Amino acid sequence: MDWLKLIDIVSTVLGLLYLWLEYRANIWLWAVSIIMPIVHSYLYFAKGLYADFGMEFYYVAAAIYGYCCWRWGKKDGDAKEVPITHYKRNHIMPSVIVGFALWGGLYWFLSTFTDSTVPLLDSFTTALSAVALWALAKKYVEQWLLWLVVDAVSCGLYIYKGIPFTASLYGFYTIMAVAGYLRWKKLAQQTISSIS
């Protein structure tokens, strides 16, 4: 078997485990978030998805940050875990600005310094993933909507780049982003109701 296909399969299995843990809002998703980027980085570099490759280093750092936020970020000393909440209004504009700045900077870098054949989409999914991962670390319901866009675009991108298992995984992620959004929205509402 081709090594890239094997890596594609392993990354798909890790991705499914990650998604299941994220859907359940389980803190162990962050452990998988440290292992998964190592596998993905080799695959993305081999396929010329350089922004995705670079993003894997950010994912490891963000996984450590996310774990710390979920583990020690409780505001209520009696709470067992950090609650799921909604995106703060004062975070929307900075998130949009950071997202566009990252997209533009990554696009310029990929177009100027690499042989990437998909710099526009590669930089877009990477920039939006950076914002979405931060929103996940904060346990915002709307992080699922950001992932919905990332996953749908990534699915098409990976089909184009010939990574079928990963493309299938991202197609499944797209569907699960809707389910995850609905579940987390319900959990957030339960948290609000219990406080009132």
Side-chain angles (χ1 to χ4, degrees):
M1 178 181 274
D2 178 352
W3 278 107
L4 285 181
K5 278 198 174 147
L6 180 61
I7 291 170
D8 193 13
I9 292 168
V10 169
S11 71
T12 301
V13 171
L14 288 170
L16 290 171
L17 176 59
Y18 171 86
L19 180 62
W20 180 73
L21 293 168
E22 181 182 6
Y23 179 79
R24 300 195 40 91
N26 186 305
I27 196 167
W28 288 105
L29 76 93
W30 299 111
V32 177
S33 291
I34 292 171
I35 298 165
M36 197 168 49
I38 296 166
V39 176
H40 280 143
S41 63
Y42 182 80
L43 181 65
Y44 293 153
F45 189 81
K47 288 295 185 174
L49 294 163
Y50 303 119
D52 281 347
F53 167 76
M55 184 69 179
E56 299 310 303
F57 297 98
Y58 170 76
Y59 278 154
V60 171
I64 294 166
Y65 172 75
Y67 176 80
C68 292
C69 284
W70 283 33
R71 177 74 176 93
W72 296 293
K74 305 172 196 103
K75 292 185 173 70
D76 178 1
D78 296 331
K80 290 183 180 176
E81 60 185 45
V82 175
I84 295 170
T85 60
H86 289 280
Y87 219 92
K88 308 279 188 260
R89 286 187 184 189
N90 62 341
H91 290 163
I92 294 172
M93 190 51 68
S95 295
V96 169
I97 292 168
V98 167
F100 274 108
L102 283 171
W103 186 14
L106 288 169
Y107 175 76
W108 172 81
F109 181 83
L110 293 176
S111 298
T112 307
F113 297 107
T114 74
D115 61 352
S116 176
T117 58
V118 288
L120 187 66
L121 292 180
D122 193 12
S123 57
F124 172 74
T125 57
T126 301
L128 192 54
S129 292
V131 175
L133 196 55
W134 172 82
L136 172 59
K138 295 297 186 182
K139 257 186 165 176
Y140 293 150
V141 172
E142 292 77 14
Q143 58 95 15
W144 285 103
L145 299 177
L146 299 174
W147 288 121
L148 176 67
V149 175
V150 169
D151 297 338
V153 173
S154 294
C155 179
L157 182 59
Y158 297 152
I159 288 170
Y160 176 76
K161 292 302 277 186
I163 311 173
F165 290 103
T166 301
S168 299
L169 175 66
Y170 277 80
F172 182 65
Y173 277 180
T174 303
I175 295 164
M176 288 306 297
V178 175
Y181 172 74
L182 295 173
R183 182 170 194 275
W184 276 38
K185 186 176 176 184
K186 183 179 176 183
L187 292 172
Q189 188 58 44
Q190 289 172 355
T191 301
I192 292 168
S193 298
S194 69
I195 293 171
S196 317

